[in-house]
Amino acid sequence: MLTEKQFAILTTLEAAKKPLSQRAVAAGAKISLGIANKTMAELTESGLIAGGAITEKGLAALEPYRVKRAVVLAAGFGSRLVPITLNTPKPLVRVKGKRIVDSLLDAITAVGIKEIYIVRGYLGEQFSQLLPKYPDLVFIDNPLYMETNNISSAYCARHFLKNAYICEADLLLYNPSLITKYQYRSNYLGIPVERTDDWCLETKHGTVTKIGIGGTNCHQIVGISYWNEEDGKRLGRHLEEDFNAPGGKERFWDQVALENHISDYRIGVRECRFEDICEIDTFGELQKLDETYRVN
């Protein structure tokens, strides 16, 4: 098993596709030059890198960390985007000519993830318009999307959560590099904030300890998480257990691992910025982003 620093260096070299200097590796891996030098020496001795480039043995060492699939939750009505969502599911609404969900799907396919599941509900048949551009999509129908919270969508996809991204479908992804080919541990994307009234995560030593609405000195959730093989399998079991428990259908799916069963997981946070990603919550926000929706 690789250490986190070894993983960071190998993924930096794999992404570069060419030899890098130790200084460039340190910058790309976001570690100090001294630690980069020491870790690169370890990797060279092990035959995982040579001459500042990753070797075939190094690529093989990364393979257990490869993301194998993505589950995109797209079943909801998008009531706060009325009137535009009266005839169009929110993820298929166009912003400056491009469907919202395309920014996410483009990033997923760009890193070679071919196993992609779309959980659809409201006006679900309209998602078939994605197939000409993304022919490998597999649709999962959620018949309960109007009766439950979003736990039903994760429940419908519970068998596909191992080595998987779970993504909300209504995110505009400005920074596609947030979707990477490899992930070291299960994690949530989060924006560090001093204060928020939104869903957020509290952490200790880099591990999530609490999920809630509103907090200080925490990470605001942005709707993309990764689950390794062990955690994804466990999450599938817990979703089934909690969904069928009294009151379970009213929960948000994130609460399953991060509240109901938090002692069974060790989930990290990958930091990003507000400039990297955007969730359009209201029709007013859509109008600000795209002037074609403004009414004179």
Side-chain angles (χ1 to χ4, degrees), residues 39 43 51 72 82 110 123-124 138 167 177 204 222 236 248 269 280 282 284 292:
T39 307
L43 293 170
V72 181
V82 168
L123 298 177
V138 175
C167 311
S177 68
K204 184 176 182 180
V222 293
V269 172
I280 304 172
T282 67
T292 61

Side-chain angles (χ1 to χ4, degrees), residues 6 9-14 19-22 25 36-59 61-62:
Q6 290 172 339
I9 287 176
L10 288 178
T11 52
T12 297
L13 292 173
E14 190 278 335
L20 295 177
S21 68
Q22 291 182 336
V25 169
N37 292 345
K38 179 181 177 181
T39 307
M40 289 183 74
E42 297 170 354
L43 293 170
T44 300
E45 185 177 351
S46 301
L48 302 184
I49 64 174
I54 191 168
T55 64
E56 290 297 323
K57 186 177 180 180
L59 290 172
L62 282 178

Side-chain angles (χ1 to χ4, degrees), residues 9-262:
I9 287 176
L10 288 178
T11 52
T12 297
L13 292 173
E14 190 278 335
K17 311 296 183 188
K18 63 180 182 180
L20 295 177
S21 68
Q22 291 182 336
R23 190 172 299 278
V25 169
K30 298 179 181 179
I31 57 179
S32 71
L33 182 58
I35 292 176
N37 292 345
K38 179 181 177 181
T39 307
M40 289 183 74
E42 297 170 354
L43 293 170
T44 300
E45 185 177 351
S46 301
L48 302 184
I49 64 174
I54 191 168
T55 64
E56 290 297 323
K57 186 177 180 180
L59 290 172
L62 282 178
E63 199 58 29
Y65 303 92
R66 180 185 290 274
V67 182
K68 296 181 179 178
R69 56 192 59 88
V71 173
V72 181
L73 307 180
F77 171 55
S79 58
R80 289 190 290 175
L81 229 62
V82 168
I84 198 67
T85 50
L86 291 176
N87 299 304
T88 305
K90 184 179 177 182
L92 300 181
V93 170
R94 292 184 181 269
V95 178
K96 297 183 178 179
K98 185 175 181 178
R99 293 171 300 217
I100 291 174
V101 73
D102 281 33
S103 65
L104 182 62
L105 294 176
D106 286 346
I108 291 170
T109 56
V111 296
I113 300 172
K114 296 185 180 298
E115 194 176 330
I116 307 172
Y117 300 90
I118 303 283
V119 184
R120 61 185 182 177
Y122 175 65
L123 298 177
E125 69 283 353
Q126 291 195 24
F127 285 91
S128 296
Q129 68 179 262
L130 295 170
L131 290 174
K133 185 177 181 183
Y134 311 103
D136 294 325
L137 291 182
V138 175
F139 297 117
I140 300 174
D141 291 312
N142 176 5
L144 301 175
Y145 74 94
M146 288 291 287
E147 306 168 26
T148 70
N149 228 317
N150 70 0
I151 189 174
S152 64
S153 288
Y155 172 81
C156 288
R158 65 192 182 280
H159 301 302
F160 307 105
L161 306 182
K162 295 180 292 184
N163 302 109
Y165 286 117
I166 303 179
C167 311
E168 296 177 9
D170 57 357
L171 301 171
L172 271 177
L173 193 61
Y174 296 129
N175 181 2
S177 68
L178 294 177
I179 301 295
T180 61
K181 187 184 301 185
Y182 306 99
Q183 287 290 332
Y184 187 73
R185 62 182 290 197
S186 300
N187 63 75
Y188 270 75
L189 273 180
I191 301 171
V193 293
E194 293 183 1
R195 180 181 299 274
T196 181
D197 296 322
D198 211 330
W199 282 94
C200 61
L201 303 171
E202 294 182 13
T203 61
K204 184 176 182 180
H205 304 308
T207 298
V208 176
T209 57
K210 183 180 179 181
I211 184 174
I213 300 177
T216 57
N217 299 316
C218 54
H219 287 84
Q220 184 170 313
I221 297 176
V222 293
I224 297 176
S225 59
Y226 170 74
W227 302 81
N228 66 21
E229 183 170 3
E230 182 179 340
D231 288 334
K233 185 176 181 179
R234 184 182 295 117
L235 178 60
R237 293 198 307 267
H238 285 156
L239 278 164
E240 187 163 357
E241 176 184 324
D242 289 11
F243 182 76
N244 292 303
K249 295 176 178 61
E250 304 306 313
R251 310 284 282 182
F252 290 94
W253 79 265
D254 309 83
Q255 294 175 289
V256 172
L258 299 184
E259 185 173 302
N260 299 2
H261 303 277
I262 193 166

